Amino acid sequence: MQELHDAPLAPLTTFRLGGPATRLLTATTDAEVVSAVRDADETSTPLLVIGGGSNLVIGDKGFEGTALRIATEGFTLSGTTLELAAGEVWTDAVARTVEAGLAGIECLAGIPGSAGATPIQNVGAYGQEVSSTISEVVAYDRRTQETVTLPNAECAFSYRHSRFKAEPDRYVVLRVRFQLEDADGLSAPLRYAETARAMGVEQGERVPAKDARETVLALRAGKGMVLDPEDHDTWSAGSFFTNPVLGPAQYEAFLARAKDRLGDDVTPPAFPAADGATKTSAAWLIDKAGFTKGYGTGPARISTKHTLALTNRGDATTEDLLALARDVVAGVHEAFGVTLVNEPVTVGVTL
């Protein structure tokens, strides 16, 4: 297992931000992951687990403790059952399932990061979430000090949330198993209006899975959501804020604020959520509050391609990024009475 001291962490994140770790370990097997976690727990050493680094905001002072980078490999496909090691590059795994003619995760193409992170956030985009195809998650339980297999029903999946996110210091994901669909090379039914429009079909229709993947990649690239080292619009964590889910009273108050600000002819985006709640668009809120594409004059700015992405223009610090995020949160709350919640995990800092 590779070990480095006073190791830079910024290169391991898509933001390219953050100070060094006291110690950085790189694990290439499940056994090495478990050994490193156990050692940290037995010595009461703070532990930071890093996968693809696409959902991390690390403070400028870095991390005092052990950072563990999971670089395990493993792609096993048996019929429609897929098992991925936590360190597998997610978007590469999606491509391989599409090449195999299977459906279920094709619209999750282009999402940066590793496979092990997908159940934690219940990663989703363009009408798909991993919770609809994950059958089991294999993880090391730091509380019981054993490796456990959690079926889907025990993962407590909800919008951008899971049991693993709710108990961040308990589980370290080792492997993720998926149950995909053999639809003779076709995709799952398209659930997202933008994807269906781009493909010239109705929502609910199936299309060739390869075409669905390529369409999603093109849509994401147009929003700066596909990693490109030469494009600072992709030096981000993708969507920085989750879409707010509002209860009935909150939603009515929000509508009233929106009408006062924008007029009776403007209708905010609305999508039904659980328990009678309504989900609205964080990107819409940000834009209508006055934070348009490219907003900012410093080294951290809103993407020129998508209002939901906060970006490092090349020489930003984490504090620059957080100052921008706080500005957006305050502005949206003042305009609409809605408090945005950051999607990336913060390390050593708070929003």
Side-chain angles (χ1 to χ4, degrees):
M1 185 157 45
Q2 184 188 69
E3 179 174 344
L4 299 173
H5 293 269
D6 195 27
L9 295 180
L12 303 182
T13 74
T14 52
F15 265 125
R16 295 167 172 80
L17 295 176
T22 306
R23 182 173 71 149
L24 172 64
L25 301 177
T26 298
T28 57
T29 67
D30 290 355
E32 288 182 348
V33 173
V34 171
S35 174
V37 175
R38 281 180 173 162
D39 179 69
D41 290 344
E42 289 171 359
T43 57
S44 299
T45 302
L47 179 69
L48 171 63
V49 178
I50 300 177
S54 61
N55 203 47
L56 277 180
V57 178
I58 299 173
D60 292 317
K61 292 183 179 179
F63 183 72
E64 293 187 10
T66 296
L68 172 62
R69 186 171 77 90
I70 298 181
T72 53
E73 297 181 354
F75 178 103
T76 304
L77 191 58
S78 177
T80 57
T81 300
L82 171 68
E83 180 178 285
L84 296 177
E88 281 289 323
V89 176
W90 173 252
T91 193
D92 292 348
V94 172
R96 293 177 69 177
T97 66
V98 170
E99 290 171 2
L102 299 178
I105 57 175
E106 62 280 354
C107 291
L108 301 177
I111 294 177
S114 60
T118 60
I120 298 172
Q121 286 287 112
N122 185 17
V123 164
Y126 295 96
Q128 291 182 344
E129 288 183 330
V130 292
S131 58
S132 65
T133 50
I134 287 177
S135 57
E136 296 177 327
V137 176
V138 180
Y140 176 68
D141 186 339
R142 299 170 68 181
R143 182 181 300 174
T144 63
Q145 298 184 340
E146 61 183 358
T147 298
V148 296
T149 299
L150 299 175
N152 182 293
E154 294 182 17
C155 294
F157 288 124
S158 60
Y159 173 64
R160 299 298 175 272
H161 201 69
S162 70
R163 181 176 184 174
F164 312 105
K165 188 173 181 179
E167 299 180 83
D169 296 324
R170 179 172 180 180
Y171 296 102
V172 177
V173 175
L174 301 174
R175 297 187 170 267
V176 188
R177 295 173 182 145
F178 300 81
Q179 191 60 51
L180 304 178
E181 179 188 7
D182 185 351
D184 294 324
L186 296 180
S187 69
L190 298 179
R191 303 300 184 192
Y192 200 69
E194 184 182 15
T195 313
R197 282 197 304 270
M199 303 200 70
V201 299
E202 297 294 323
Q203 282 182 259
E205 289 188 36
R206 294 178 184 264
V207 297
K210 290 183 178 181
D211 293 348
R213 173 180 172 271
E214 291 172 2
T215 298
V216 166
L217 286 173
L219 290 171
R220 290 184 64 88
K223 300 173 184 177
M225 297 290 187
V226 176
L227 293 180
D228 179 353
E230 303 302 318
D231 182 1
H232 286 289
D233 277 328
T234 74
W235 289 32
S236 75
S239 299
F240 194 87
F241 300 103
T242 58
N243 289 323
V245 178
L246 308 175
Q250 291 176 305
Y251 183 63
E252 290 303 318
F254 161 58
L255 285 180
R257 295 280 289 268
K259 287 183 178 180
D260 286 344
R261 181 180 179 89
L262 304 170
D264 293 339
D265 295 335
V266 175
T267 302
F271 310 92
D275 301 321
T278 302
K279 182 166 64 177
T280 191
S281 166
W284 186 93
L285 289 167
I286 293 167
D287 181 71
K288 298 303 181 185
F291 302 96
T292 54
K293 295 174 184 177
Y295 173 88
T297 58
R301 304 178 195 176
I302 289 178
S303 166
T304 65
K305 299 182 179 74
H306 200 293
T307 54
L308 203 49
L310 309 187
T311 67
N312 171 10
R313 306 317 293 183
D315 55 358
T317 64
T318 301
E319 281 306 310
D320 292 328
L321 175 75
L322 294 176
L324 173 63
R326 292 173 186 134
D327 192 16
V328 172
V329 170
V332 168
H333 189 269
E334 181 180 357
F336 299 109
V338 175
T339 301
L340 294 177
V341 176
N342 53 291
E343 186 167 336
V345 174
T346 56
V347 177
V349 292
T350 57
L351 189 57

